[in-house]
């Protein structure tokens, strides 16, 4: 059995993202933001989210808790048909625990108020490793801020566009190794606002070593637990492991290329 929880009640759509997530109450009494197998982005959206979540947890990144959620067929009849919303399939879906006190698409001020901005270093390394190009370019993109009574905390969400996108195959993953742009750096204003908080003489060394320490078995573990309905074959998993091992070898060069964005690091003799 692959399901951790089962959805029991449809509540409402969440946001206006292309993945068209919806909020459900589940049998553990908690609410989850669920992304469905039938979505407008592609068939690898759910595997991407699951693999990235498990890799991120190994790296101790700040991520909302995730589970595979079973969506029963009989529950679909209670979901209203809405214009512009893709119908849902029953079965196993990707679900993230709904953050009751969190701000989506936070402002610069809200992001910089977070007490765990040291994790931004790990985020940048992680995004380069899994080729998660979709976070860097716009302030607040694919980030949430959990509001606390005394401290706020940054959370990373929406890794569905990672790897070679939501239509990847063993061929696209293998081709990336020969693509001249495969080691291109990611940069944008969502990273730029964090520079003053993380700049230093060697700001990325620890984060790089943490990724480099993951071996092939640990990387493969991140792909366990995906239901058969997601159609991820053993060949797909082998190709993804090879892709991640190859990109791990590119990481030091990619991260070093960011040096010009960091004044203190750049000034290091």
């Amino acid at each position: 059995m692959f399901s951790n929880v089962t959805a029991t009640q449809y509540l409402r759509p969440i946001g206006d993202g292309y993945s068209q997530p919806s909020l459900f109450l589940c049998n553990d009494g908690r609410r989850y933001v669920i992304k469905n197998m039938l979505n407008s982005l592609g068939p690898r959206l759910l595997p991407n989210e699951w693999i990235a979540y498990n890799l991120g947890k190994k790296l101790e990144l700040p991520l909302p808790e995730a589970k595979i959620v079973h969506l029963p067929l009989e529950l679909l009849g209670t979901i209203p048909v809405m214009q512009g919303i893709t119908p849902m399939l029953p079965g196993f879906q990707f679900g993230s625990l709904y953050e009751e006190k969190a701000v989506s698409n936070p402002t610069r001020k809200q992001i910089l108020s977070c007490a765990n901005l040291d994790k931004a270093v790990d985020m940048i390394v992680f995004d380069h490793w899994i080729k998660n190009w979709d976070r860097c370019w716009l302030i607040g993109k694919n980030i949430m801020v959990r509001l606390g009574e005394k401290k706020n905390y940054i959370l990373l969400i929406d890794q569905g566009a990672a790897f070679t996108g939501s239509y990847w195959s063993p061929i696209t993953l293998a081709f990336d190794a020969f693509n001249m742009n495969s080691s291109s750096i990611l940069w944008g204003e969502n990273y730029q606002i964090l520079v003053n908080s993380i700049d230093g003489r060697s700001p990325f060394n620890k984060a790089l070593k943490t990724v480099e320490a993951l071996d092939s078995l640990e990387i493969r573990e991140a792909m366990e637990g995906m239901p058969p309905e997601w159609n991820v074959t053993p060949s797909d998993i082998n190709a993804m492991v090879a892709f991640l091992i190859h990109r791990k070898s590119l990481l030091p060069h990619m991260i070093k290329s960011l040096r010009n964005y960091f004044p203190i690091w750049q000034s290091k003799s």
Side-chain angles (χ1 to χ4, degrees):
M1 190 68 174
F2 297 93
S3 176
N4 295 94
V5 294
T6 297
T8 58
Q9 182 183 354
Y10 171 80
L11 298 174
R12 59 181 171 86
I14 289 284
D16 55 359
Y18 290 114
S19 61
Q20 299 180 339
S22 296
L23 187 63
F24 286 82
L25 179 67
C26 292
N27 64 345
D28 64 351
R30 300 193 294 177
R31 293 183 286 176
Y32 291 85
V33 179
I34 292 179
K35 294 183 179 181
N36 195 264
M37 287 186 288
L38 187 60
N39 61 81
S40 61
L41 291 181
R44 301 297 197 186
L45 175 69
L46 272 58
N48 285 2
E49 292 282 11
W50 183 249
I51 295 168
Y53 169 74
N54 286 314
L55 290 173
K57 295 306 288 184
K58 287 180 178 293
L59 299 173
E60 299 184 356
L61 291 173
L63 299 157
E65 180 183 348
K67 292 184 181 293
I68 294 175
V69 180
H70 181 245
L71 182 59
L73 176 62
E74 57 269 23
L75 188 58
L76 293 183
T78 69
I79 300 174
V81 177
M82 289 176 281
Q83 186 175 4
I85 301 297
T86 303
M88 298 183 191
L89 287 177
F92 297 102
Q93 322 299 337
F94 177 83
S96 294
L97 185 65
Y98 180 64
E99 292 285 338
E100 301 284 349
K101 296 180 180 180
V103 176
S104 300
N105 300 311
T107 64
R108 174 193 179 107
K109 183 178 180 179
Q110 288 169 328
I111 293 171
L112 295 181
S113 73
C114 291
N116 62 336
L117 286 184
D118 58 309
K119 289 296 183 180
V121 170
D122 302 272
M123 174 187 75
I124 293 172
V125 171
F126 180 64
D127 285 347
H128 279 82
W129 182 32
I130 68 171
K131 204 173 183 178
N132 189 33
W133 59 269
D134 196 33
R135 191 183 341 261
C136 67
W137 57 278
L138 183 66
I139 292 177
K141 177 74 170 171
N142 295 350
I143 284 175
M144 296 178 70
V145 170
R146 179 190 290 153
L147 303 177
E149 292 184 6
K150 296 182 178 180
K151 295 181 179 180
N152 299 334
Y153 294 91
I154 194 170
L155 296 172
L156 311 183
I157 59 172
D158 295 343
Q159 283 74 228
F163 311 114
T164 58
S166 51
Y167 283 90
W168 63 263
S169 69
I171 293 175
T172 66
L173 295 174
F175 177 77
D176 189 76
F178 302 98
N179 185 350
M180 292 181 62
N181 295 321
S182 64
S183 60
S184 297
I185 65 170
L186 308 175
W187 196 259
E189 56 184 6
N190 214 17
Y191 291 171
Q192 184 65 47
I193 65 170
L194 299 166
V195 167
N196 290 340
S197 301
I198 61 178
D199 196 7
R201 294 182 62 80
S202 299
F204 291 98
N205 279 8
K206 183 179 177 181
L208 281 171
K209 288 178 180 178
T210 302
V211 174
E212 290 167 356
L214 291 179
D215 60 30
S216 61
L217 290 178
E218 291 175 295
I219 293 172
R220 190 175 294 273
E221 285 174 357
M223 295 159 216
E224 294 178 353
M226 287 185 283
E229 292 93 325
W230 292 5
N231 295 315
V232 179
T233 67
S235 294
D236 293 332
I237 291 173
N238 290 339
M240 180 60 76
V241 171
F243 169 85
L244 288 166
I245 290 174
H246 173 70
R247 286 195 65 83
K248 191 166 65 161
S249 71
L250 301 177
L251 266 179
H253 170 74
M254 287 190 284
I255 297 303
K256 186 177 180 180
S257 298
L258 300 177
R259 188 168 181 170
N260 288 341
Y261 295 108
F262 293 83
I264 297 175
W265 185 21
Q266 185 180 6
S267 68
K268 179 183 174 183
S269 57

